[in-house]
């Protein structure tokens, strides 16, 4: 069972993924130690998962192969599957294609 704390009332020694990353750490293989809940008026509470800082591991360094894979993935997000153009923006997932292919009238203008 996971401990649940109210927003901003978690004890020291616990951190979110973002807080760990800012400190140059990652959760590693550990499970969620606790969670924060921030109540909201009309919806369910916001939840943030907490990890133990003493069990956190250092972030793995970026290698040249990782940088290359990241660049390749970024380029794939910018290539339109219809016209095959490399675009200066990331293709919206809601469209699945570049804006010009989605709205041909824009291309003519």
């Amino acid at each position: 069972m996971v401990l649940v704390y109210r927003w901003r009332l978690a004890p020291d020694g616990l951190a979110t993924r973002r807080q760990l990353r800012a400190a140059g750490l990652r959760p590693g293989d550990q499970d969620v130690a606790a969670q924060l809940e921030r109540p909201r008026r009309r919806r369910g509470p916001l939840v943030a998962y907490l990890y133990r800082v003493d069990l956190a591991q250092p972030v793995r360094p970026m290698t040249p192969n990782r940088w290359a894979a990241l660049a390749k993935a970024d380029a794939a997000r910018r290539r339109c599957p219809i016209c095959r153009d490399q675009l200066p923006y990331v293709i919206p997932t809601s469209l699945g294609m570049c804006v010009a292919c989605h709205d041909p009238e824009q291309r003519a203008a």
Side-chain angles (χ1 to χ4, degrees), residues 71-83:
K72 188 176 178 182
D74 188 47
R77 293 177 63 206
R78 295 172 187 269
R79 182 172 301 279
C80 176
I82 307 298
C83 63

Side-chain angles (χ1 to χ4, degrees), residues 77-104:
R77 293 177 63 206
R78 295 172 187 269
R79 182 172 301 279
C80 176
I82 307 298
C83 63
R84 308 298 295 163
D85 286 344
Q86 189 72 27
L87 304 165
Y89 59 89
V90 174
I91 294 173
T93 56
S94 60
L95 301 179
M97 61 187 77
C98 67
V99 177
C101 288
H102 183 261
D103 188 10

